[in-house]
Amino acid sequence: MKCVMDTVKYCSVSTRLTSAQKILGDNAELIARLKLAESIAAQRSAEFEALKKEAEQLRAERTHYCERVVLLEEELRWIKAQYFGSVSQKQDAATVNPDQPMLFNEAEVLTAIAAAEEAHRQRTTKVDAHEREHTGGRKAIPKHFPRIPIEHDLPEDQKMCTACATPHPLERIGHELRE
């Protein structure tokens, strides 16, 4: 009977160990899930804050544009009132545009235009900066600076014309000297 008791005790200890290991395994899985949920929650919180800031910025921008629209509508209403309103009809046409009386007086208008063009042609304005004499280009390099002649020449094998049917030597056709 003692043997049976020892086996029962052993069995109960082993089942306790297995159940304890199972509980620890479940706890580890739950801890991993908890950490994953916390990281996802932190990420979503950061995204939410970014979206909240963007929404505030868009609201401010919308307010600005709404104010601009109201201002432009007021300006348009004012311009229409000036143009189509009864106030514009009471004003004298000459005060609105001094050229209005000359609208149907074509002969006088044409002579006035010709006189204005002639006066414009007669008017001359002397600009001193445009009246200076041309000095002839760049200033010369001072004589005390050393001069080193550099000659650019082709190699001897390239001095033959290969484009013609019979090859012949090329001739120098120009010489340019610069400082």
Side-chain angles (χ1 to χ4, degrees), residues 87-134:
V87 175
S88 67
Q89 294 173 359
K90 292 179 184 176
Q91 292 178 349
D92 184 23
T95 59
V96 174
N97 187 356
D99 295 331
Q100 190 77 25
M102 297 180 69
L103 184 62
F104 297 107
N105 199 357
E106 294 174 6
E108 291 177 2
V109 170
L110 292 175
T111 56
I113 290 173
E117 287 177 354
E118 183 63 31
H120 181 69
R121 271 190 242 117
Q122 295 294 326
R123 187 182 68 200
T124 58
T125 305
K126 187 174 182 180
V127 179
D128 292 334
H130 294 183
E131 301 298 324
R132 289 182 279 161
E133 291 183 18
H134 186 56

Side-chain angles (χ1 to χ4, degrees), residues 102-178:
M102 297 180 69
L103 184 62
F104 297 107
N105 199 357
E106 294 174 6
E108 291 177 2
V109 170
L110 292 175
T111 56
I113 290 173
E117 287 177 354
E118 183 63 31
H120 181 69
R121 271 190 242 117
Q122 295 294 326
R123 187 182 68 200
T124 58
T125 305
K126 187 174 182 180
V127 179
D128 292 334
H130 294 183
E131 301 298 324
R132 289 182 279 161
E133 291 183 18
H134 186 56
T135 58
R138 291 196 300 188
K139 272 177 51 175
I141 298 174
K143 296 290 182 192
H144 66 277
F145 285 154
R147 268 58 171 181
I148 301 170
I150 298 174
E151 202 169 303
H152 298 284
D153 199 8
L154 292 173
E156 290 298 323
D157 59 338
Q158 290 182 359
K159 289 184 180 180
M160 294 296 289
C161 178
T162 57
C164 296
T166 57
H168 57 84
L170 297 174
E171 296 177 13
R172 177 179 285 190
I173 57 171
H175 178 77
E176 208 173 298
L177 181 65
R178 293 190 181 194

